[in-house]
Amino acid sequence: MVKINYCPSKYGMVSKNIVLLFFAFGMTIFVANAQRRPLDSLAIANWPYIFPVKLSSDGTFTLYLAGRGGDQWKTLSVVSTDGQPKVQMNNVREAFFIGNSKYVVAQTKGDSVMIIDLMNDTHRAFGSVKSLVVPKGDQNNGFAFKLLNGELVLGKANGDNTDTLGQVSRAEFDPSGRWLLWCNKTDEGLERWSYIDCETHARRTFWIGTSMGTIGFEGVSGKIAFLAKSESGDDYSIWKYNMGADCAQCWLKSTVDQRGDSMVLENSRLDFLPGVQGWLFHV
């Protein structure tokens, strides 16, 4: 705080002192700002973050990853909702609840997948893992991982038994986690799409074609629709399939009518709308 005593005979001296005082104060601010590092994208990337928090389906545990924005490997924490820490693990890329939230599956540094039993405080690991494939919900027991050699392995949270599904280029669970779809290549370079029933372990190939695009699931009913590229590669068609059927059926194709008007399907979106029991897609 600056305090000034009024004195009629010293107006000039008072003014001079005020000017010098504010000049020195401004210089202090300037020097402080000059020494402060500018806020840029690199500085923001180095801020510590807590990545999306996941709550278990029964509300018992919270899972989150902590680290800096540019870090590939982060610290996993699982905390009970009463505040008690349950798991803390460094060098984790991603982690998910599975098996009705009684287990956590995490991809860790060193090409490994760790299965953590939250009820018994035990864990087991699989090595030579490239990536994880998990269902969207945590109610199911199944998960899958792709090995460094390209093979896909289906595992279960509550057991050591696994199914090796061979070389794959793409894999995806349905929303219920019961069916795992995967793709491998034929000798002719086509895509061969198959699925496995994670409950019965039954397998079936349901489509072979040029290339499958977006896949949509009709809830948890076991019915799917997907966009497939034509042999020419110029357009797409929509196919539908019910789990257990022999093969997929072509449902809708890109067309050109007699007037030259065209309907070209885009490989951008394919969503089931429960309210109207219909599909939304782009043309």
Side-chain angles (χ1 to χ4, degrees):
M1 180 179 67
V2 179
K3 184 177 180 180
I4 302 175
N5 294 322
Y6 175 74
C7 179
S9 63
K10 296 183 180 179
Y11 276 160
M13 182 61 70
V14 170
S15 300
K16 183 177 181 181
N17 289 341
I18 293 174
V19 171
L20 288 175
L21 181 59
F22 278 101
F23 176 76
F25 181 67
M27 286 296 294
T28 302
I29 295 175
F30 175 79
V31 171
N33 287 335
Q35 292 174 346
R36 185 178 300 168
R37 182 177 175 179
L39 185 62
D40 55 17
S41 58
L42 180 59
I44 294 173
N46 285 321
W47 285 354
Y49 285 91
I50 291 180
F51 292 81
V53 177
K54 300 170 185 175
L55 181 67
S56 62
S57 57
D58 60 0
T60 304
F61 298 107
T62 299
L63 177 157
Y64 62 89
L65 296 173
R68 301 187 184 278
D71 293 344
Q72 181 180 10
W73 306 104
K74 303 171 179 68
T75 299
L76 165 67
S77 295
V78 180
V79 182
S80 62
T81 47
D82 62 3
Q84 296 300 314
K86 190 69 175 178
V87 176
Q88 188 167 33
M89 183 186 302
N90 295 326
N91 297 319
V92 175
R93 174 178 289 170
E94 55 183 349
F96 307 89
F97 286 116
I98 58 173
N100 292 311
S101 299
K102 296 178 181 178
Y103 301 85
V104 169
V105 56
Q107 185 177 4
T108 63
K109 196 171 184 178
D111 303 322
S112 297
V113 162
M114 190 80 69
I115 311 300
I116 305 167
D117 186 335
L118 298 175
M119 302 295 105
N120 299 311
D121 294 324
T122 59
H123 66 272
R124 66 188 195 278
F126 301 91
S128 301
V129 176
K130 181 180 181 181
S131 59
L132 263 176
V133 184
V134 296
K136 291 182 179 179
D138 64 358
Q139 300 290 325
N140 48 78
N141 252 336
F143 67 97
F145 51 90
K146 191 174 182 180
L147 299 175
L148 294 176
N149 63 8
E151 290 187 336
L152 184 69
V153 178
L154 174 65
K156 287 198 170 182
N158 57 357
D160 292 324
N161 295 332
T162 58
D163 283 304
T164 301
L165 306 176
Q167 300 280 331
V168 302
S169 57
R170 182 178 163 192
E172 189 170 345
F173 277 99
D174 84 300
S176 73
R178 176 173 177 177
W179 293 283
L180 173 64
L181 288 65
W182 80 91
C183 169
N184 55 19
K185 294 288 187 178
T186 68
D187 293 338
E188 294 78 20
L190 299 175
E191 288 189 357
R192 178 194 292 114
W193 277 86
S194 308
Y195 74 88
I196 183 170
D197 186 325
C198 298
E199 295 181 2
T200 66
H201 298 272
R203 307 184 191 189
R204 186 185 295 272
T205 296
F206 64 91
W207 186 80
I208 297 176
T210 304
S211 176
M212 185 183 293
T214 303
I215 302 174
F217 297 92
E218 191 173 315
V220 296
S221 66
K223 299 178 181 179
I224 68 170
F226 58 90
L227 284 151
K229 185 180 291 187
S230 65
E231 293 184 6
S232 66
D234 296 330
D235 56 12
Y236 283 83
S237 54
I238 297 180
W239 295 64
K240 58 182 180 178
Y241 178 70
N242 297 344
M243 298 297 181
D246 290 336
C247 59
Q249 302 292 325
C250 185
W251 181 26
L252 186 64
K253 291 184 177 181
S254 297
T255 59
V256 178
D257 61 22
Q258 295 179 349
R259 296 177 300 177
D261 295 332
S262 62
M263 181 189 71
V264 180
L265 300 172
E266 293 184 1
N267 180 34
S268 58
R269 187 172 181 180
L270 188 60
D271 297 316
F272 180 69
L273 305 178
V276 298
Q277 293 294 300
W279 289 89
L280 172 68
F281 54 90
H282 286 185
V283 295

